[in-house]
Amino acid sequence: MQANVGDFLIIHGRVVGHGDRKGEIVEVRGAGGAPPYLVRFGDGHEQLMYPGPDSVVEPATPE
């Protein structure tokens, strides 16, 4: 998995009734875009994450 600052990390819900979570990658701490990523979610919460198989990176759209 590779990401850049500004991309979005989407974590798919694993339990019925729990939706996906989407956060913006604000820092990439691994070499060459590899995890861990510092992710900021919509509620302002920031978390250092090593994404699992239930996660995907959505590239930021160029403006």
Side-chain angles (χ1 to χ4, degrees), residues 19-47:
D20 296 347
R21 292 179 62 201
K22 182 176 181 179
E24 181 182 0
I25 297 173
V26 294
E27 187 177 338
V28 177
R29 295 191 179 176
Y37 306 129
L38 184 62
V39 179
R40 181 180 302 130
F41 293 96
D43 62 358
H45 174 77
E46 291 186 358
Q47 183 173 352

Side-chain angles (χ1 to χ4, degrees):
M1 180 175 287
Q2 293 186 355
N4 297 303
V5 172
D7 290 349
F8 294 94
L9 182 66
I10 300 172
I11 304 149
H12 297 293
R14 296 180 290 177
V15 178
V16 174
H18 289 159
D20 296 347
R21 292 179 62 201
K22 182 176 181 179
E24 181 182 0
I25 297 173
V26 294
E27 187 177 338
V28 177
R29 295 191 179 176
Y37 306 129
L38 184 62
V39 179
R40 181 180 302 130
F41 293 96
D43 62 358
H45 174 77
E46 291 186 358
Q47 183 173 352
L48 186 64
M49 300 192 70
Y50 287 87
D54 57 344
S55 303
V56 294
V57 172
E58 178 181 284
T61 54
E63 295 182 10

